[in-house]
Every structure is written in C-alpha cells, then in structure tokens.
Amino acid sequence: MSQPKVIKDIITQSNTSFSQMIAKAQRYIQLTEFIKTALPDFIKPHCVSTFVQDGILTIYTDSNVWHNRLRYYSPIIEKHLKKHNIEQINRIDFRTLPAKQPPPTKPKTPPQPFTEEQAQFIRD
C-alpha cells in the first residue's frame, strides 16, 4: 500500500489543475494591484478584484458608490494599461460584489406567561 500524498505537494505540482488555478488567481491579484497603481489613494481600497475574459477587464468594487466613482477613472486605467503594453483589453466593465450578509439570527421566542405561583411571589 502506498503512502498518502501531502496536499501541499499535490497543489504545487506544475501539471495539476490546482496549481493552474493558483497561478491564475495570483495573476488576477497582480493585475488588481497593477490597476490600483493608476488610482488615487482614496479609491484604492474599494477596488477589490479584477477579472479578464474575452478582452473584457472587469473591476469589482465593494459598493455601488465606489462603483460609480471608479467609472470616471476608466480613461486613466486604459492609458495605464496601454502605457505598459497590455493591449489585450478591449473594454472595461465594473461590478459590485455583494456585501457579506451576517448569519441569520434565530427569531426570539416570546416570553412565557408567569405561573400563578410566580405571580404570587412577585406580588408579595
């Protein structure tokens, strides 16, 4: 019987789908950081993530307010991409990631009425 494989070894092998996913995620993280370098400091924290597919760069923000503000920086982002020879982007879209919802709380149960004995104790 063979020894079980260590997950770290499986993930870091260059020919596995895990390592390909990790490499792709790292490229998107680098792209997000690259895009942020073109933005003013006050808006950088609200540029959450980026994604590229079919020549469309999608920039994700953390709220609709920042989504709309970031749209005004599209020309600056486009110039930044062209300046650094990133030509495969044909269009920039913006999306808002939904806010994380707190876990649902259990509905409060109504208080139980006092028994006659408890009521008498309170009266005395």
Side-chain angles (χ1 to χ4, degrees):
M1 181 178 233
S2 64
Q3 290 287 341
K5 294 184 178 181
V6 179
I7 291 178
K8 181 183 134 196
D9 294 340
I10 295 170
I11 291 173
T12 56
Q13 288 176 354
S14 62
N15 60 350
T16 66
S17 58
F18 288 122
S19 63
Q20 292 169 359
M21 282 191 316
I22 289 170
K24 195 172 198 177
Q26 288 172 338
R27 284 193 305 271
Y28 287 134
I29 290 168
Q30 290 171 348
L31 179 60
T32 303
E33 294 304 314
F34 176 75
I35 297 295
K36 286 181 178 183
T37 61
L39 301 172
D41 288 340
F42 73 92
I43 205 167
K44 287 179 183 181
H46 305 285
C47 177
V48 179
S49 182
T50 57
F51 182 76
V52 178
Q53 185 174 13
D54 300 328
I56 301 170
L57 168 64
T58 305
I59 299 175
Y60 292 94
T61 62
D62 58 2
S63 74
N64 287 331
V65 172
W66 294 107
H67 170 127
N68 290 328
R69 283 191 169 190
L70 199 56
R71 270 187 194 282
Y72 292 107
Y73 289 93
S74 288
I76 294 169
I77 294 169
E78 287 176 12
K79 286 179 187 174
H80 188 62
L81 292 168
K82 287 181 182 174
K83 179 182 174 183
H84 290 80
N85 297 322
I86 301 175
E87 301 290 335
Q88 66 267 27
I89 305 297
N90 303 322
R91 187 174 89 207
I92 299 176
D93 284 347
F94 296 90
R95 301 271 186 260
T96 302
L97 289 174
K100 291 183 179 178
Q101 298 294 324
T105 58
K106 291 183 180 179
K108 293 184 178 179
T109 56
Q112 298 296 318
F114 290 117
T115 62
E116 187 57 42
E117 185 181 309
Q118 292 168 329
Q120 185 60 40
F121 178 79
I122 292 172
R123 281 188 226 123
D124 292 340

mmCIF file of all heavy atoms in Angstrom, residues 20-54:
data_model
loop_
_atom_site.group_PDB
_atom_site.id
_atom_site.type_symbol
_atom_site.label_atom_id
_atom_site.label_comp_id
_atom_site.label_asym_id
_atom_site.label_seq_id
_atom_site.Cartn_x
_atom_site.Cartn_y
_atom_site.Cartn_z
ATOM 1 N N GLN A 20 -2.635 25.263 -11.577
ATOM 2 C CA GLN A 20 -3.088 26.192 -12.613
ATOM 3 C C GLN A 20 -4.068 27.212 -12.041
ATOM 4 O O GLN A 20 -4.003 28.392 -12.380
ATOM 5 C CB GLN A 20 -3.724 25.418 -13.773
ATOM 6 C CG GLN A 20 -2.719 24.584 -14.544
ATOM 7 C CD GLN A 20 -3.382 23.620 -15.511
ATOM 8 O OE1 GLN A 20 -4.599 23.545 -15.609
ATOM 9 N NE2 GLN A 20 -2.560 22.854 -16.223
ATOM 10 N N MET A 21 -4.966 26.758 -11.165
ATOM 11 C CA MET A 21 -5.896 27.694 -10.523
ATOM 12 C C MET A 21 -5.154 28.689 -9.643
ATOM 13 O O MET A 21 -5.468 29.880 -9.636
ATOM 14 C CB MET A 21 -6.922 26.939 -9.668
ATOM 15 C CG MET A 21 -8.013 26.309 -10.466
ATOM 16 S SD MET A 21 -9.403 25.686 -9.479
ATOM 17 C CE MET A 21 -8.628 24.852 -8.125
ATOM 18 N N ILE A 22 -4.174 28.208 -8.911
ATOM 19 C CA ILE A 22 -3.392 29.088 -8.040
ATOM 20 C C ILE A 22 -2.643 30.118 -8.880
ATOM 21 O O ILE A 22 -2.630 31.309 -8.554
ATOM 22 C CB ILE A 22 -2.434 28.269 -7.151
ATOM 23 C CG1 ILE A 22 -3.237 27.500 -6.099
ATOM 24 C CG2 ILE A 22 -1.403 29.169 -6.481
ATOM 25 C CD1 ILE A 22 -2.441 26.486 -5.337
ATOM 26 N N ALA A 23 -2.041 29.684 -9.981
ATOM 27 C CA ALA A 23 -1.305 30.608 -10.856
ATOM 28 C C ALA A 23 -2.244 31.661 -11.438
ATOM 29 O O ALA A 23 -1.905 32.848 -11.500
ATOM 30 C CB ALA A 23 -0.609 29.833 -11.973
ATOM 31 N N LYS A 24 -3.426 31.249 -11.840
ATOM 32 C CA LYS A 24 -4.398 32.183 -12.404
ATOM 33 C C LYS A 24 -4.844 33.187 -11.339
ATOM 34 O O LYS A 24 -4.938 34.386 -11.601
ATOM 35 C CB LYS A 24 -5.602 31.406 -12.939
ATOM 36 C CG LYS A 24 -6.487 32.186 -13.852
ATOM 37 C CD LYS A 24 -7.533 31.252 -14.465
ATOM 38 C CE LYS A 24 -8.145 31.878 -15.680
ATOM 39 N NZ LYS A 24 -9.110 30.995 -16.340
ATOM 40 N N ALA A 25 -5.117 32.712 -10.142
ATOM 41 C CA ALA A 25 -5.522 33.605 -9.046
ATOM 42 C C ALA A 25 -4.413 34.607 -8.727
ATOM 43 O O ALA A 25 -4.684 35.792 -8.495
ATOM 44 C CB ALA A 25 -5.875 32.791 -7.800
ATOM 45 N N GLN A 26 -3.174 34.150 -8.752
ATOM 46 C CA GLN A 26 -2.049 35.056 -8.496
ATOM 47 C C GLN A 26 -1.930 36.113 -9.586
ATOM 48 O O GLN A 26 -1.635 37.273 -9.311
ATOM 49 C CB GLN A 26 -0.753 34.264 -8.365
ATOM 50 C CG GLN A 26 -0.670 33.479 -7.077
ATOM 51 C CD GLN A 26 0.520 32.531 -7.023
ATOM 52 O OE1 GLN A 26 1.076 32.140 -8.044
ATOM 53 N NE2 GLN A 26 0.903 32.150 -5.810
ATOM 54 N N ARG A 27 -2.195 35.736 -10.845
ATOM 55 C CA ARG A 27 -2.170 36.725 -11.933
ATOM 56 C C ARG A 27 -3.252 37.781 -11.736
ATOM 57 O O ARG A 27 -3.021 38.967 -11.960
ATOM 58 C CB ARG A 27 -2.330 36.040 -13.296
ATOM 59 C CG ARG A 27 -1.071 35.344 -13.767
ATOM 60 C CD ARG A 27 -1.147 34.954 -15.241
ATOM 61 N NE ARG A 27 -2.306 34.140 -15.579
ATOM 62 C CZ ARG A 27 -2.349 32.812 -15.536
ATOM 63 N NH1 ARG A 27 -1.276 32.139 -15.152
ATOM 64 N NH2 ARG A 27 -3.434 32.150 -15.876
ATOM 65 N N TYR A 28 -4.438 37.356 -11.304
ATOM 66 C CA TYR A 28 -5.516 38.322 -11.067
ATOM 67 C C TYR A 28 -5.206 39.234 -9.883
ATOM 68 O O TYR A 28 -5.534 40.416 -9.913
ATOM 69 C CB TYR A 28 -6.855 37.615 -10.879
ATOM 70 C CG TYR A 28 -7.408 37.056 -12.171
ATOM 71 C CD1 TYR A 28 -7.910 35.774 -12.235
ATOM 72 C CD2 TYR A 28 -7.402 37.817 -13.339
ATOM 73 C CE1 TYR A 28 -8.413 35.254 -13.422
ATOM 74 C CE2 TYR A 28 -7.892 37.311 -14.531
ATOM 75 C CZ TYR A 28 -8.403 36.038 -14.566
ATOM 76 O OH TYR A 28 -8.887 35.534 -15.733
ATOM 77 N N ILE A 29 -4.556 38.693 -8.879
ATOM 78 C CA ILE A 29 -4.141 39.529 -7.741
ATOM 79 C C ILE A 29 -3.117 40.556 -8.211
ATOM 80 O O ILE A 29 -3.199 41.742 -7.865
ATOM 81 C CB ILE A 29 -3.572 38.653 -6.599
ATOM 82 C CG1 ILE A 29 -4.695 37.844 -5.949
ATOM 83 C CG2 ILE A 29 -2.845 39.511 -5.564
ATOM 84 C CD1 ILE A 29 -4.211 36.755 -5.012
ATOM 85 N N GLN A 30 -2.165 40.124 -9.021
ATOM 86 C CA GLN A 30 -1.167 41.058 -9.556
ATOM 87 C C GLN A 30 -1.818 42.114 -10.443
ATOM 88 O O GLN A 30 -1.459 43.288 -10.381
ATOM 89 C CB GLN A 30 -0.102 40.297 -10.357
ATOM 90 C CG GLN A 30 0.810 39.456 -9.505
ATOM 91 C CD GLN A 30 1.714 38.550 -10.333
ATOM 92 O OE1 GLN A 30 1.524 38.370 -11.532
ATOM 93 N NE2 GLN A 30 2.701 37.954 -9.662
ATOM 94 N N LEU A 31 -2.789 41.718 -11.254
ATOM 95 C CA LEU A 31 -3.484 42.673 -12.109
ATOM 96 C C LEU A 31 -4.249 43.690 -11.268
ATOM 97 O O LEU A 31 -4.224 44.887 -11.559
ATOM 98 C CB LEU A 31 -4.437 41.951 -13.064
ATOM 99 C CG LEU A 31 -5.247 42.850 -14.003
ATOM 100 C CD1 LEU A 31 -4.320 43.669 -14.905
ATOM 101 C CD2 LEU A 31 -6.212 42.014 -14.821
ATOM 102 N N THR A 32 -4.887 43.229 -10.217
ATOM 103 C CA THR A 32 -5.612 44.140 -9.323
ATOM 104 C C THR A 32 -4.654 45.158 -8.722
ATOM 105 O O THR A 32 -4.934 46.366 -8.714
ATOM 106 C CB THR A 32 -6.331 43.354 -8.206
ATOM 107 O OG1 THR A 32 -7.212 42.405 -8.803
ATOM 108 C CG2 THR A 32 -7.114 44.277 -7.287
ATOM 109 N N GLU A 33 -3.517 44.693 -8.247
ATOM 110 C CA GLU A 33 -2.529 45.612 -7.676
ATOM 111 C C GLU A 33 -1.987 46.570 -8.734
ATOM 112 O O GLU A 33 -1.761 47.743 -8.462
ATOM 113 C CB GLU A 33 -1.390 44.832 -7.010
ATOM 114 C CG GLU A 33 -1.830 44.039 -5.788
ATOM 115 C CD GLU A 33 -2.508 44.895 -4.732
ATOM 116 O OE1 GLU A 33 -1.996 45.990 -4.409
ATOM 117 O OE2 GLU A 33 -3.566 44.470 -4.226
ATOM 118 N N PHE A 34 -1.808 46.082 -9.950
ATOM 119 C CA PHE A 34 -1.340 46.922 -11.047
ATOM 120 C C PHE A 34 -2.363 48.014 -11.354
ATOM 121 O O PHE A 34 -2.008 49.179 -11.544
ATOM 122 C CB PHE A 34 -1.072 46.054 -12.281
ATOM 123 C CG PHE A 34 -0.686 46.840 -13.493
ATOM 124 C CD1 PHE A 34 0.583 47.387 -13.604
ATOM 125 C CD2 PHE A 34 -1.587 47.041 -14.519
ATOM 126 C CE1 PHE A 34 0.940 48.118 -14.722
ATOM 127 C CE2 PHE A 34 -1.240 47.767 -15.649
ATOM 128 C CZ PHE A 34 0.033 48.314 -15.746
ATOM 129 N N ILE A 35 -3.634 47.649 -11.422
ATOM 130 C CA ILE A 35 -4.703 48.627 -11.675
ATOM 131 C C ILE A 35 -4.731 49.670 -10.567
ATOM 132 O O ILE A 35 -4.886 50.869 -10.818
ATOM 133 C CB ILE A 35 -6.073 47.925 -11.783
ATOM 134 C CG1 ILE A 35 -6.111 46.959 -12.962
ATOM 135 C CG2 ILE A 35 -7.218 48.935 -11.847
ATOM 136 C CD1 ILE A 35 -5.987 47.585 -14.316
ATOM 137 N N LYS A 36 -4.558 49.243 -9.336
ATOM 138 C CA LYS A 36 -4.586 50.171 -8.200
ATOM 139 C C LYS A 36 -3.488 51.225 -8.289
ATOM 140 O O LYS A 36 -3.658 52.334 -7.787
ATOM 141 C CB LYS A 36 -4.465 49.407 -6.877
ATOM 142 C CG LYS A 36 -5.716 48.672 -6.488
ATOM 143 C CD LYS A 36 -5.506 47.975 -5.156
ATOM 144 C CE LYS A 36 -6.738 47.251 -4.687
ATOM 145 N NZ LYS A 36 -6.537 46.644 -3.358
ATOM 146 N N THR A 37 -2.365 50.897 -8.947
ATOM 147 C CA THR A 37 -1.280 51.879 -9.045
ATOM 148 C C THR A 37 -1.683 53.084 -9.892
ATOM 149 O O THR A 37 -1.075 54.139 -9.784
ATOM 150 C CB THR A 37 0.007 51.263 -9.624
ATOM 151 O OG1 THR A 37 -0.244 50.782 -10.947
ATOM 152 C CG2 THR A 37 0.538 50.148 -8.735
ATOM 153 N N ALA A 38 -2.719 52.932 -10.722
ATOM 154 C CA ALA A 38 -3.184 54.041 -11.557
ATOM 155 C C ALA A 38 -4.242 54.893 -10.845
ATOM 156 O O ALA A 38 -4.634 55.931 -11.353
ATOM 157 C CB ALA A 38 -3.771 53.507 -12.855
ATOM 158 N N LEU A 39 -4.676 54.452 -9.678
ATOM 159 C CA LEU A 39 -5.783 55.118 -8.986
ATOM 160 C C LEU A 39 -5.292 55.979 -7.835
ATOM 161 O O LEU A 39 -4.251 55.700 -7.239
ATOM 162 C CB LEU A 39 -6.756 54.061 -8.445
ATOM 163 C CG LEU A 39 -7.390 53.134 -9.472
ATOM 164 C CD1 LEU A 39 -8.174 52.035 -8.766
ATOM 165 C CD2 LEU A 39 -8.284 53.919 -10.414
ATOM 166 N N PRO A 40 -6.063 57.011 -7.482
ATOM 167 C CA PRO A 40 -5.722 57.802 -6.299
ATOM 168 C C PRO A 40 -5.881 56.965 -5.018
ATOM 169 O O PRO A 40 -6.660 56.006 -4.986
ATOM 170 C CB PRO A 40 -6.731 58.956 -6.308
ATOM 171 C CG PRO A 40 -7.556 58.807 -7.523
ATOM 172 C CD PRO A 40 -7.215 57.528 -8.194
ATOM 173 N N ASP A 41 -5.166 57.358 -3.990
ATOM 174 C CA ASP A 41 -5.151 56.579 -2.749
ATOM 175 C C ASP A 41 -6.533 56.374 -2.135
ATOM 176 O O ASP A 41 -6.815 55.316 -1.588
ATOM 177 C CB ASP A 41 -4.234 57.242 -1.713
ATOM 178 C CG ASP A 41 -2.771 57.087 -2.084
ATOM 179 O OD1 ASP A 41 -2.447 56.195 -2.881
ATOM 180 O OD2 ASP A 41 -1.944 57.871 -1.570
ATOM 181 N N PHE A 42 -7.401 57.375 -2.217
ATOM 182 C CA PHE A 42 -8.690 57.261 -1.534
ATOM 183 C C PHE A 42 -9.609 56.197 -2.149
ATOM 184 O O PHE A 42 -10.514 55.704 -1.490
ATOM 185 C CB PHE A 42 -9.409 58.616 -1.493
ATOM 186 C CG PHE A 42 -9.985 59.053 -2.810
ATOM 187 C CD1 PHE A 42 -11.291 58.750 -3.151
ATOM 188 C CD2 PHE A 42 -9.216 59.771 -3.722
ATOM 189 C CE1 PHE A 42 -11.826 59.155 -4.357
ATOM 190 C CE2 PHE A 42 -9.740 60.185 -4.930
ATOM 191 C CZ PHE A 42 -11.048 59.870 -5.254
ATOM 192 N N ILE A 43 -9.367 55.824 -3.386
ATOM 193 C CA ILE A 43 -10.251 54.860 -4.046
ATOM 194 C C ILE A 43 -9.648 53.448 -4.111
ATOM 195 O O ILE A 43 -10.362 52.476 -4.307
ATOM 196 C CB ILE A 43 -10.635 55.373 -5.453
ATOM 197 C CG1 ILE A 43 -11.952 54.768 -5.901
ATOM 198 C CG2 ILE A 43 -9.552 55.107 -6.459
ATOM 199 C CD1 ILE A 43 -12.549 55.434 -7.109
ATOM 200 N N LYS A 44 -8.351 53.337 -3.897
ATOM 201 C CA LYS A 44 -7.669 52.033 -3.998
ATOM 202 C C LYS A 44 -8.288 50.938 -3.127
ATOM 203 O O LYS A 44 -8.470 49.820 -3.607
ATOM 204 C CB LYS A 44 -6.187 52.176 -3.649
ATOM 205 C CG LYS A 44 -5.386 52.864 -4.713
ATOM 206 C CD LYS A 44 -3.934 53.005 -4.302
ATOM 207 C CE LYS A 44 -3.177 53.773 -5.359
ATOM 208 N NZ LYS A 44 -1.761 53.909 -5.014
ATOM 209 N N PRO A 45 -8.623 51.220 -1.863
ATOM 210 C CA PRO A 45 -9.178 50.133 -1.039
ATOM 211 C C PRO A 45 -10.516 49.593 -1.541
ATOM 212 O O PRO A 45 -10.921 48.499 -1.170
ATOM 213 C CB PRO A 45 -9.352 50.773 0.339
ATOM 214 C CG PRO A 45 -8.561 52.019 0.318
ATOM 215 C CD PRO A 45 -8.429 52.440 -1.106
ATOM 216 N N HIS A 46 -11.187 50.343 -2.390
ATOM 217 C CA HIS A 46 -12.509 49.944 -2.851
ATOM 218 C C HIS A 46 -12.461 49.180 -4.167
ATOM 219 O O HIS A 46 -13.470 48.679 -4.628
ATOM 220 C CB HIS A 46 -13.406 51.171 -2.968
ATOM 221 C CG HIS A 46 -13.462 51.925 -1.688
ATOM 222 N ND1 HIS A 46 -14.181 51.481 -0.596
ATOM 223 C CD2 HIS A 46 -12.843 53.063 -1.286
ATOM 224 C CE1 HIS A 46 -14.016 52.326 0.406
ATOM 225 N NE2 HIS A 46 -13.211 53.288 0.001
ATOM 226 N N CYS A 47 -11.282 49.072 -4.757
ATOM 227 C CA CYS A 47 -11.062 48.235 -5.941
ATOM 228 C C CYS A 47 -10.682 46.858 -5.399
ATOM 229 O O CYS A 47 -9.548 46.616 -5.019
ATOM 230 C CB CYS A 47 -9.944 48.832 -6.795
ATOM 231 S SG CYS A 47 -9.531 47.856 -8.239
ATOM 232 N N VAL A 48 -11.653 45.978 -5.344
ATOM 233 C CA VAL A 48 -11.500 44.718 -4.617
ATOM 234 C C VAL A 48 -10.802 43.638 -5.429
ATOM 235 O O VAL A 48 -9.939 42.926 -4.928
ATOM 236 C CB VAL A 48 -12.882 44.209 -4.148
ATOM 237 C CG1 VAL A 48 -12.765 42.899 -3.417
ATOM 238 C CG2 VAL A 48 -13.568 45.244 -3.284
ATOM 239 N N SER A 49 -11.176 43.509 -6.707
ATOM 240 C CA SER A 49 -10.657 42.411 -7.513
ATOM 241 C C SER A 49 -10.810 42.744 -8.989
ATOM 242 O O SER A 49 -11.530 43.664 -9.355
ATOM 243 C CB SER A 49 -11.433 41.136 -7.174
ATOM 244 O OG SER A 49 -10.930 40.041 -7.886
ATOM 245 N N THR A 50 -10.120 41.972 -9.823
ATOM 246 C CA THR A 50 -10.241 42.128 -11.265
ATOM 247 C C THR A 50 -10.344 40.754 -11.907
ATOM 248 O O THR A 50 -9.960 39.735 -11.317
ATOM 249 C CB THR A 50 -9.020 42.852 -11.866
ATOM 250 O OG1 THR A 50 -7.841 42.131 -11.520
ATOM 251 C CG2 THR A 50 -8.923 44.277 -11.383
ATOM 252 N N PHE A 51 -10.849 40.767 -13.127
ATOM 253 C CA PHE A 51 -11.016 39.529 -13.875
ATOM 254 C C PHE A 51 -10.966 39.878 -15.352
ATOM 255 O O PHE A 51 -11.527 40.892 -15.765
ATOM 256 C CB PHE A 51 -12.366 38.894 -13.513
ATOM 257 C CG PHE A 51 -12.619 37.584 -14.188
ATOM 258 C CD1 PHE A 51 -11.988 36.434 -13.767
ATOM 259 C CD2 PHE A 51 -13.508 37.502 -15.249
ATOM 260 C CE1 PHE A 51 -12.225 35.217 -14.393
ATOM 261 C CE2 PHE A 51 -13.756 36.287 -15.875
ATOM 262 C CZ PHE A 51 -13.123 35.153 -15.441
ATOM 263 N N VAL A 52 -10.310 39.068 -16.157
ATOM 264 C CA VAL A 52 -10.238 39.307 -17.598
ATOM 265 C C VAL A 52 -10.778 38.081 -18.325
ATOM 266 O O VAL A 52 -10.376 36.948 -18.044
ATOM 267 C CB VAL A 52 -8.784 39.573 -18.064
ATOM 268 C CG1 VAL A 52 -8.738 39.763 -19.564
ATOM 269 C CG2 VAL A 52 -8.204 40.766 -17.356
ATOM 270 N N GLN A 53 -11.695 38.356 -19.269
ATOM 271 C CA GLN A 53 -12.216 37.279 -20.103
ATOM 272 C C GLN A 53 -12.654 37.877 -21.432
ATOM 273 O O GLN A 53 -13.370 38.884 -21.452
ATOM 274 C CB GLN A 53 -13.393 36.579 -19.433
ATOM 275 C CG GLN A 53 -13.886 35.379 -20.195
ATOM 276 C CD GLN A 53 -14.954 34.609 -19.437
ATOM 277 O OE1 GLN A 53 -15.500 35.069 -18.452
ATOM 278 N NE2 GLN A 53 -15.239 33.415 -19.907
ATOM 279 N N ASP A 54 -12.219 37.266 -22.509
ATOM 280 C CA ASP A 54 -12.578 37.695 -23.869
ATOM 281 C C ASP A 54 -12.273 39.172 -24.108
ATOM 282 O O ASP A 54 -13.058 39.890 -24.724
ATOM 283 C CB ASP A 54 -14.060 37.417 -24.156
ATOM 284 C CG ASP A 54 -14.404 35.940 -24.052
ATOM 285 O OD1 ASP A 54 -13.528 35.112 -24.373
ATOM 286 O OD2 ASP A 54 -15.536 35.620 -23.654
#
